[in-house]
Amino acid sequence: MHMLFERSIDGSTYFSWLMSGVGWTLSLWISSGVIAFLIGIPVGAARTSRSPALRVLGRLYVQVFRNIPLLVQAFLWYFVLPDVLPSGLGAIVKQIPPPWGSFIPALAALSLYTASRIAEQVRSGITALPAGQRQGADALGLSPIQTYMRILIPQALRITVPTLTSEVLALLKNTSIALTIGLLELTAQAQQINEFTFETFQAFAAATVMYLVIALLIHLAANVIERAVETPGTVQLPPTKR
């Protein structure tokens, strides 16, 4: 891996290129993850609402954004959106300087796509709860919003932590699609190093190790969260030996 510490054409090391890519990868992952949860949780709740209109809207959102390939969505946000907006607004969008001109479309694509997947996890969590949870809330006179905010959603999130962890890890890997629209995230930087040095193995091996380290840290953090929010009485203890 000595190549990574050699000087590049701009005077910095190739390792600094990779670290710059890590920074953009993490920025895109964190920001799109936050937005995805802010959208996905209410959409998932809408999927289980007693209102037919809300259920239809929630399902429509999920079907649209989950079934269109993520790469296609990124291209739509980057190439198509500026041309369908009013000419003045479209010109402003096209003039957004790099890397933000690539970061924002990638953020939109990743956020909306991941939100559709999180919505399904939230829906599954809510439907897995006993019917008595909602009936008890009705008996207490809670409004639908109060029922979801105080009873249903907190419990649904607690029991879906393992599957949500999978979605968070998938989001980290999906950030690599941003290279297709010009954002120099980790995979793009590894590809750029390969083009300048022809050291394919070293460039992509280093990127792989960095992805693996980040994913392991996320997994460890998820385990801590899962134990912290674990519902008492739901863990099956191993049988005792006689």
Side-chain angles (χ1 to χ4, degrees):
M1 294 293 179
H2 62 87
M3 173 272 297
L4 295 177
F5 299 97
E6 296 176 355
R7 293 292 176 181
S8 62
I9 58 173
D10 62 0
S12 62
T13 63
Y14 293 114
F15 181 75
S16 67
W17 287 18
L18 284 178
M19 293 309 298
S20 173
V22 169
W24 283 110
T25 293
L26 291 178
S27 298
L28 186 58
W29 172 67
I30 293 172
S31 54
S32 59
V34 170
I35 296 173
F37 271 91
L38 291 176
I39 297 175
I41 291 175
V43 171
R47 295 270 279 132
T48 64
S49 173
R50 289 171 175 167
S51 168
L54 288 178
R55 291 200 303 271
V56 169
L57 289 175
R59 184 170 184 175
L60 180 63
Y61 176 91
V62 170
Q63 293 300 323
V64 169
F65 287 101
R66 189 178 63 169
N67 293 321
I68 297 176
L70 179 56
L71 184 60
V72 174
Q73 294 189 44
F75 285 166
L76 289 174
W77 284 102
Y78 185 72
F79 293 110
V80 178
L81 180 65
D83 291 329
V84 299
L85 291 173
S87 58
L89 184 57
I92 294 174
V93 172
K94 290 179 181 179
Q95 293 171 4
I96 297 176
W100 301 108
S102 300
F103 182 88
I104 295 174
L107 176 64
L110 284 167
S111 299
L112 296 176
Y113 173 80
T114 306
S116 67
R117 299 182 60 86
I118 290 175
E120 284 299 276
Q121 303 298 342
V122 173
R123 180 192 65 81
S124 299
I126 293 175
T127 55
L129 296 174
Q133 297 287 331
R134 195 190 295 257
Q135 294 168 358
D138 293 339
L140 291 172
L142 298 181
S143 67
I145 294 179
Q146 290 174 324
T147 300
Y148 277 99
M149 294 294 293
R150 298 182 181 181
I151 298 176
L152 300 181
I153 291 177
Q155 293 186 81
L157 292 177
R158 292 174 79 172
I159 64 178
T160 56
V161 168
T163 54
L164 290 175
T165 300
S166 298
E167 296 299 338
V168 170
L169 290 170
L171 175 60
L172 174 67
K173 292 179 286 186
N174 286 338
T175 56
S176 61
I177 64 100
L179 73 87
T180 61
I181 56 175
L183 183 65
L184 291 177
E185 44 71 64
L186 181 53
T187 303
Q189 289 287 14
Q191 182 175 337
Q192 185 171 246
I193 292 172
N194 173 52
E195 292 173 353
F196 278 95
T197 65
F198 301 102
E199 296 285 353
T200 305
F201 175 78
Q202 293 189 47
F204 285 99
T208 300
V209 170
M210 290 181 178
Y211 274 120
L212 181 60
V213 170
I214 297 170
L216 288 176
L217 291 175
I218 295 171
H219 183 71
L220 291 174
N223 284 340
V224 173
I225 295 173
E226 185 176 356
R227 288 194 295 269
V229 302
E230 202 168 57
T231 303
T234 60
V235 180
Q236 294 183 354
L237 299 177
T240 57
K241 295 182 178 180
R242 296 183 179 179

